[in-house]
Amino acid sequence: MLEKSQAVRGLVFVCARDAEPYVERCLLGLAAQRSADFDVLFIDDASSDRTAALARALLQAHFAGRHTLVSSTERKGKARHAFEQLPGRTDADFIAVLDGDDELVDPDILGDLAHAYGDGFDVVWTNFVTDTGVDGGNGPLDPFDSPRSQGWQTSHFFSCRQALLARVPAAYFQDEQGQWLDCACDFAIAYPVLDQTRRYLYLPRTSYRYTTLNPLSHHLQGEPSGSLSSPRQRAAAATVLAKPPLPCWRPVHSHQVAMNHGLAVKLQQVHVDVAQCFARLESLEQQVREAPFVHLAMERLVRSEDIPLGWLRESGAWALDVGLLDHLADTMNRYQHPRVLEFGSGRGSKMLARLVANRGGRLVCVEHDPAWAARTGGEFAAHGLDAHAQVVHRPLVDTEFMGQPGLFYDMGFLAETDAFDIVIVDGPPARTCELARLPALPAVAAHLSAQGFHVYLDDHERAEEQEIVRRWLVAAPELQARALSFGKGVCEITPGA
């Protein structure tokens, strides 16, 4: 095992193809690292643009004497380049994988990786954020269980000890026909390495910005909703996971530091599991208490509002559950022809549209996901609700409220005279950014009915939504808030008395 006092050197493996718009940002992120105990291996994978020329100039300027540029005349893909270039690099203690269209955003991360490898860990990773502000969701692995059974927790800026990568056979980077994998290469590199060791370390910080908007990325191909993986990637990932795990020759119990860390991870997971069990029990108890009221609400919605029972059953735990729909029906009765705005469409939108249509009102659903927008609009048309309900597809754009940056729907579609009696805030998704729904109230403030209004913020049981309400009331103390409890928590915002 390496001692902390020994020098630990890393190699950053960068693979890029037609990355001209991104390569400068990528390499400058490396140049900003406070530690210089690493070399750069830059692979230009037969680009047709200026990727190689830009990389050459930047590498010479910032990494003189500690870089290698490989200009491949054949498109091989990251997995094949990793197999051909990395096993023989015995001058590096660890390898860190960085895509040429991504960047490091933590100037201390390579130095901290070196410390971790000096402490004897074999695989170290962090969290990432996308270029649209979405948290990557990485986390620790339980070293007492197979990594293949725990989900994909180590994505993007994966790093490992070089000796482990050197033991991976070529077949693990290939499909069943012996063709080199050209997507899901992160899977192909990581899993056979993770198989061999249980000495894992997750550093819980965001060190890496992952570019999702590169039009050449695999995850954008065939996925209109902008998913982070495409059908090709999922098929290649399945091929990787179908291969037999390599033997584990670096168990956790033979390394005390990793053992202590693993036990801490295990203990934390036990705490989480226990808390989740108590939360589920509490939820079940509440459902039993509320069952008679839910039954009455369902009967009213079916008989009086002409909402099919099948619609109510499919809503399940979605925002517009039976209790909230029943409450919204009462709220709409306060307005002659209710004008309703919904942020974020979903399975409950057609039921909301039926309530609005029954009262001769108008519903506008704002949705950033084109697939969901098309689905909701199609349901409105199929059930004859499109005369009273429409879906507006609007992208998320940069915004700021009370000093909090974020992303929110482009509200440019609203006319100056548009006004709403009821606003339901069920979007954007919380994972979009911190306090994702904070901009909702200021976005519609000028369009709230002067005769009175109701704003409903979904998921009020969450700490983030409670903080959003607190900030709203600080900015507009004339408003009042009331917590409501249905299938999920909801906060009702109205003008003060």
Side-chain angles (χ1 to χ4, degrees):
M1 184 184 76
L2 287 170
E3 299 295 334
K4 262 187 152 180
S5 58
Q6 288 184 256
V8 175
R9 193 158 190 87
L11 176 70
V12 180
F13 169 64
V14 184
C15 192
R17 177 189 300 170
D18 292 337
E20 181 177 338
Y22 312 102
V23 67
E24 181 177 13
R25 187 178 63 189
C26 173
L27 291 177
L28 289 182
L30 279 174
Q33 291 294 304
R34 293 191 175 98
S35 169
D37 292 331
F38 68 93
D39 299 313
V40 179
L41 172 59
F42 191 100
I43 309 291
D44 173 51
D45 193 29
S47 296
S48 59
D49 61 8
R50 298 180 59 248
T51 295
L54 288 172
R56 182 175 295 106
L58 289 162
L59 290 167
Q60 290 174 350
H62 298 284
F63 303 98
R66 56 190 185 101
H67 75 269
T68 302
L69 173 63
V70 176
S71 293
S72 177
T73 58
E74 174 190 355
R75 291 198 166 184
K76 298 181 178 180
K78 182 165 62 175
R80 183 177 175 185
H81 282 301
F83 179 77
E84 293 180 349
Q85 298 288 338
L86 298 179
R89 297 297 300 248
T90 54
D91 54 331
D93 298 294
F94 70 92
I95 308 291
V97 181
L98 173 67
D99 284 351
D101 61 352
D102 298 337
E103 63 178 317
L104 297 183
V105 293
D106 182 340
D108 295 311
I109 189 56
L110 284 174
D112 290 344
L113 290 187
H115 282 302
Y117 287 104
D119 283 339
F121 287 98
D122 287 341
V123 181
V124 188
W125 67 97
T126 68
N127 202 6
F128 67 96
V129 65
T130 71
D131 52 349
T132 58
V134 178
D135 179 84
N138 281 353
L141 286 174
D142 180 350
F144 304 102
D145 196 4
S146 165
R148 293 173 182 256
S149 67
Q150 300 183 58
W152 187 221
Q153 299 291 320
T154 62
S155 54
H156 301 295
F157 201 49
F158 179 82
S159 76
C160 66
R161 195 173 293 280
Q162 190 274 343
L164 297 173
L165 195 57
R167 295 167 67 104
V168 180
Y172 280 76
F173 298 128
Q174 299 169 343
D175 63 19
E176 298 91 335
Q177 289 74 43
Q179 299 297 312
W180 294 95
L181 293 170
D182 64 351
C183 60
C185 296
D186 291 332
F187 260 57
I189 292 171
Y191 272 114
V193 168
L194 292 167
D195 289 337
Q196 300 176 60
T197 184
R198 298 295 183 266
R199 302 179 185 183
Y200 308 136
L201 178 64
Y202 168 65
L203 299 176
R205 55 206 248 207
T206 300
S207 70
Y208 188 90
R209 182 175 290 116
Y210 172 47
T211 301
T212 65
L213 299 179
N214 182 350
L216 300 180
S217 292
H218 292 295
H219 58 77
L220 292 179
Q221 298 173 14
E223 290 292 293
S225 63
S227 168
L228 295 189
S229 65
S230 68
R232 285 184 60 216
Q233 283 181 305
R234 291 193 287 271
T239 297
V240 171
L241 291 174
K243 295 182 182 297
L246 292 178
C248 177
W249 59 283
R250 301 272 286 180
V252 66
H253 57 74
S254 61
H255 179 234
Q256 190 61 50
V257 179
M259 185 73 171
N260 293 343
H261 176 72
L263 289 171
V265 169
K266 196 75 172 176
L267 182 60
Q268 176 61 29
Q269 187 57 53
V270 170
H271 284 310
V272 170
D273 290 344
V274 170
Q276 289 175 344
C277 285
F278 278 110
R280 284 194 291 270
L281 285 172
E282 185 177 347
S283 177
L284 286 172
E285 290 174 355
Q286 183 174 347
Q287 289 178 37
V288 170
R289 290 193 302 269
E290 295 178 352
F293 303 100
V294 171
H295 177 78
L296 291 173
M298 290 181 70
E299 185 175 0
R300 173 193 175 188
L301 292 169
V302 172
R303 292 181 180 274
S304 302
E305 300 293 348
D306 197 28
I307 293 179
L309 184 59
W311 291 10
L312 294 170
R313 286 174 173 165
E314 78 177 16
S315 68
W318 290 66
L320 296 182
D321 66 5
V322 172
L324 178 55
L325 280 168
D326 187 56
H327 182 83
L328 287 172
D330 286 335
T331 302
M332 289 183 196
N333 287 336
R334 303 184 183 194
Y335 304 99
Q336 187 173 8
H337 300 293
R339 299 161 295 180
V340 182
L341 176 66
E342 181 186 31
F343 288 119
S345 68
R347 296 181 182 179
S349 295
K350 62 179 179 289
M351 293 181 278
L352 182 62
R354 178 62 58 84
L355 296 180
V356 172
N358 290 347
R359 293 158 177 78
R362 184 72 180 166
L363 168 66
V364 177
C365 294
V366 187
E367 176 57 59
H368 77 283
D369 186 316
W372 268 111
R375 174 177 177 169
T376 303
E379 288 186 329
F380 289 166
H383 299 292
L385 298 169
D386 48 344
H388 293 274
Q390 71 175 117
V391 182
V392 180
H393 173 228
R394 304 299 292 180
L396 300 178
V397 296
D398 291 327
T399 187
E400 182 177 329
F401 177 61
M402 297 183 71
Q404 177 71 44
L407 294 167
F408 200 70
Y409 307 97
D410 181 352
M411 302 296 289
F413 69 94
L414 288 178
E416 186 177 346
T417 56
D418 285 337
F420 297 97
D421 307 302
I422 299 171
V423 178
I424 300 165
V425 185
D426 189 27
R431 66 179 181 275
T432 302
C433 58
E434 186 178 0
L435 301 177
R437 297 168 186 176
L438 180 65
L441 188 61
V444 298
H447 300 278
L448 294 172
S449 172
Q451 285 71 48
F453 58 84
H454 289 72
V455 176
Y456 293 93
L457 176 65
D458 183 39
D459 300 308
H460 189 239
E461 74 278 6
R462 297 192 307 217
E464 273 211 2
E465 271 60 32
Q466 293 169 19
E467 174 63 15
I468 287 170
V469 172
R470 188 192 70 79
R471 295 196 190 192
W472 283 353
L473 296 181
V474 168
E478 69 277 11
L479 299 180
Q480 60 184 11
R482 181 166 68 119
L484 307 174
S485 179
F486 301 108
K488 295 194 290 183
V490 177
C491 188
E492 181 183 72
I493 308 289
T494 56

